[in-house]
Amino acid sequence: MKKALLILCLFFFFSGFTVLIKGQDTLAYAKKEIRTVEPVPYNNQTYTKFKNQKFYDYYRLEIKNKSVFDILHEKFNQWLSRVFKKTIDRDEFDRLMEVVGIFIVIIIGVILYISKPGIFYFGKKNPLTYSIAEENIEVQNLDLLTENSIKEKRFSDAIRWQYLKTLKILHDRDCISYDTNKTVNEYVYEIKDLNLRKSFRNLSGEFVYYRYGKGEADVEKFAGFRTAAEIVQKMRTG
């Protein structure tokens, strides 16, 4: 009985020793080796293929060119920081530029209106954008030219002479400044008196219609134009 128990113990002992040996890390018994790391040789084709991939942007830097407003913003902030010890962001600077731009446009508009007010006139029904033919109204006998045109039944020419006579009278009264390069609408807005301006504008519209438009002037239409022209010529300014 004791001999059988001794054999059984020896069996379990050798079985456990075998399991312990198998379970140990085999690297502990591996031969120690030293290896050096060699760099991968450069391959131009591989590198080019790698760069063409859409996810390759590690070394690609997008350098944004500064616009004029970017430079102005920087310069303005430098001045603002130096004088007032503060700066503004780009949105505030853009709004400031908009205000400055509107102010400049208004100033230019006022200057243009004072020098040539006629360019701001826009007539919806009768846009008066025609230039008066070059005429020396100071030396011509406009009444004689009118009567000769009537005799020859050239009523459009007669209207032309009467209109030039009206311009001469308004020029002599300093209501307008006659210039062969001016347009009809420029003369309209040179007149300061509103009543005279309105009457002269209506007269100018008729002149443009018969002289340059499709209107056919006859003796009756010329008579009506002459009457309207004489009213304008005699109107008093306030």
Side-chain angles (χ1 to χ4, degrees):
M1 183 67 182
K2 292 182 179 180
K3 186 177 180 179
L5 182 61
L6 178 60
I7 293 172
L8 184 62
C9 289
L10 290 174
F11 174 76
F12 282 112
F13 173 77
F14 281 110
S15 298
F17 183 74
T18 303
V19 173
L20 179 62
I21 291 175
K22 290 183 178 181
Q24 287 183 348
D25 190 356
T26 56
L27 290 177
Y29 299 93
K31 184 180 179 180
K32 294 185 177 180
E33 297 180 355
I34 300 176
R35 293 182 177 272
T36 58
V37 179
E38 298 291 339
V40 177
Y42 179 81
N43 187 299
N44 188 55
Q45 291 183 345
T46 303
Y47 182 64
T48 302
K49 183 179 179 180
F50 180 69
K51 285 201 308 181
N52 290 333
Q53 294 179 7
K54 64 180 181 178
F55 298 108
Y56 176 78
D57 59 356
Y58 306 111
Y59 303 102
R60 189 179 303 165
L61 299 177
E62 297 291 341
I63 301 176
K64 182 181 178 182
N65 294 327
K66 292 183 179 180
S67 65
V68 175
F69 284 99
D70 291 332
I71 297 173
L72 288 176
H73 180 220
E74 291 181 1
K75 297 295 183 182
F76 182 76
N77 265 344
Q78 290 173 4
W79 172 82
L80 204 62
S81 177
R82 187 173 59 254
V83 177
F84 297 102
K85 308 300 181 184
K86 64 177 296 185
T87 59
I88 61 175
D89 59 28
R90 183 55 190 272
D91 291 337
E92 292 173 327
F93 179 77
D94 290 342
R95 288 194 293 270
L96 178 62
M97 288 296 98
E98 291 176 0
V99 173
V100 172
I102 294 173
F103 181 74
I104 292 175
V105 170
I106 293 174
I107 295 298
I108 294 175
V110 171
I111 294 173
L112 290 176
Y113 179 77
I114 293 175
S115 59
K116 286 191 174 184
I119 65 175
F120 291 92
Y121 174 73
F122 299 95
K124 295 182 179 179
K125 295 182 179 180
N126 298 311
L128 310 178
T129 58
Y130 298 93
S131 298
I132 305 301
E134 184 173 355
E135 298 289 348
N136 191 346
I137 61 176
E138 296 294 336
V139 298
Q140 294 190 91
N141 189 331
L142 298 174
D143 286 331
L144 179 60
L145 290 171
T146 299
E147 297 305 322
N148 290 337
S149 297
I150 294 173
K151 290 178 182 179
E152 297 173 6
K153 296 183 179 182
R154 294 183 288 106
F155 297 108
S156 292
D157 287 340
I159 288 175
R160 174 189 179 187
W161 301 125
Q162 279 298 296
Y163 187 76
L164 289 174
K165 179 181 178 181
T166 304
L167 292 180
K168 183 179 184 303
I169 292 174
L170 294 179
H171 172 78
D172 293 340
R173 290 166 53 188
D174 293 326
C175 294
I176 63 171
S177 178
Y178 179 76
D179 189 329
T180 56
N181 294 319
K182 287 183 179 179
T183 59
V184 172
N185 54 320
E186 288 182 282
Y187 288 124
V188 170
Y189 269 75
E190 280 185 16
I191 299 174
K192 304 302 180 184
D193 186 88
L194 296 181
N195 292 327
L196 178 59
R197 179 190 294 179
K198 181 179 179 181
S199 298
F200 177 74
R201 180 191 178 280
N202 294 334
L203 183 71
S204 298
E206 290 188 47
F207 164 74
V208 169
Y209 178 70
Y210 289 117
R211 181 63 187 170
Y212 299 102
K214 297 181 180 180
E216 295 183 4
D218 54 22
V219 62
E220 294 181 358
K221 292 176 181 177
F222 166 73
F225 183 88
R226 190 175 203 172
T227 299
E230 289 175 349
I231 292 174
V232 173
Q233 294 165 11
K234 297 176 182 178
M235 286 184 68
R236 298 296 175 185
T237 58

